Amino acid sequence: MREIIQLDIIKQILTEYTDDLPLHFFLKYFYKKHRQFGSRDRRFYTDTIYKYFRCKTLFYKLPIEEKLCYSGFLTSSYPIDFYRYLLKQQNISLSLIETWDKPIVEKLNSLKEAGKICIENYFPAFSSVEGNIRNDDFLFSHLIQPEFFIRVRKNYTEEIRLKLNEQEIAFKQNGEAFAFTSKLDISKFIPDEMYEVQDISSQETIGLFDLKGKEKLWDCCAGAGGKSLMLKDHYPEIELYCSDKRESILKNLKERFQKVNIQPYGVAVFDVIKNTGGLAFNKEKIPDGFFDIILADAPCTGSGTWGRNPERLYQFKEPEIEVYVNLQKSIVANSLRYLKPGGLLIYITCSVYTAENTSNLKTFEAHGLKMQLEKYFIGHTRNADTLYGAVMEKIS
């Protein structure tokens, strides 16, 4: 029977998965190792595994079969054959099928009353989430797969609209942001140079920048360069410098920039936390007070993105918050020497924890920064990530 084989494969995946890899990386390696799975199989196993991790922290000690069944119940509106099989195997009342399409709160309450789940344990350190975000809508949004977003580059908006319509692909558009209900390999029919994969909240952080266009800007935690690319698209004349402590990810950044024929003024491996040896680009040391703008897209818990990475809901431990807060304080403190008086530091995280965001500003002010603007880019109300951004002026 097909469902028996499917259950065995899912158990194998869950047994082999370890926390040292993001789930999507592990599944990629797993499918590469087991090439017998076709695209339909991969979609099924990926979808089922992600549904399971979305719900894992809710469950009491239940058999894995029950957890899988209830995770399907909570995260979908129709019971596919696999979940019907689990219902029968575990002798779960078939009346559950009749409520499969009910609102999520109603389904949660029914499982809570049956003693199957504990809602209070769902999101780690929930009491530490920023107050204006800390509500049931945010909490239960993690049971829904976020949408897949792209940012359309330059003047390609109408061309991409036409290509999507030709392929009969449903989408929603909000300015440069195009949203899809599931992840697509759109590179098959849209050239790479026309778009970047980027969440809508991340795209909206461009509103934190009000540039004349020729400023010297340093992205001190550039990563793979998503925000740097967006900045160059909006402000092509800025003198852009990118650094990160990871040489491997800067290689990715360079490849992305080359793909769209954009050249930063400088790219360098630099650990702003250790801050040893001084900052240099193209073998030239950067003097103090050199930059007009510093972007600190700081490492963080990533708690605003856990809808995309639901395995973090159970992997995360509350002491991690303090670890990241200390990193963020060091990054801001050590980067400021390179910011000119009157210059702006743009601080961004993809966290919803107060300690990483608004509470950090008090420490930043002690380093001579004055807050001009702060904003949460709320994602859970539109199936997207949640980010935080602050604009601070160097006054001393």
Side-chain angles (χ1 to χ4, degrees), residues 127-139:
S127 62
S128 298
V129 172
E130 190 73 44
N132 65 327
I133 299 174
R134 193 173 62 244
N135 54 52
D136 286 349
D137 287 341
F138 168 76
L139 193 67

Side-chain angles (χ1 to χ4, degrees), residues 12 28 44 75 88 90 121 178 192 212 225 260 324-325 332 346 384:
Q12 180 184 353
K28 179 180 178 180
F44 167 76
T75 59
K88 294 179 180 178
Q90 294 299 302
N121 294 336
F178 282 63
D192 289 348
K212 295 181 176 65
V260 295
Y324 280 107
V325 167
V332 170
I346 315 294

Side-chain angles (χ1 to χ4, degrees), residues 125 128 273 299-301 303 312 316-330 347 351 353-357 359-360 363:
S128 298
I273 296 172
C300 66
T301 58
S303 47
R312 292 291 290 154
F316 182 78
K317 301 294 183 288
E318 190 166 358
E320 290 183 45
I321 297 175
E322 185 177 358
V323 172
Y324 280 107
V325 167
N326 290 332
L327 290 177
Q328 292 150 4
K329 290 177 179 178
S330 295
Y347 176 76
S351 172
Y353 290 125
T354 304
E356 296 184 89
N357 300 328
S359 292
N360 253 340
T363 301

Side-chain angles (χ1 to χ4, degrees), residues 87 90-97:
L87 282 169
Q90 294 299 302
N91 294 317
I92 300 171
S93 173
L94 294 180
S95 64
L96 197 70
I97 293 177

Side-chain angles (χ1 to χ4, degrees), residues 54 62 90 259 369:
R54 289 189 186 286
L62 301 173
Q90 294 299 302
K259 180 186 69 176
L369 291 170

Side-chain angles (χ1 to χ4, degrees), residues 359-377:
S359 292
N360 253 340
L361 297 187
K362 296 176 182 178
T363 301
F364 299 161
E365 289 174 351
H367 291 296
L369 291 170
K370 182 179 180 181
M371 197 268 288
Q372 290 190 344
L373 170 71
E374 64 174 336
K375 180 178 180 178
Y376 272 97
F377 300 87

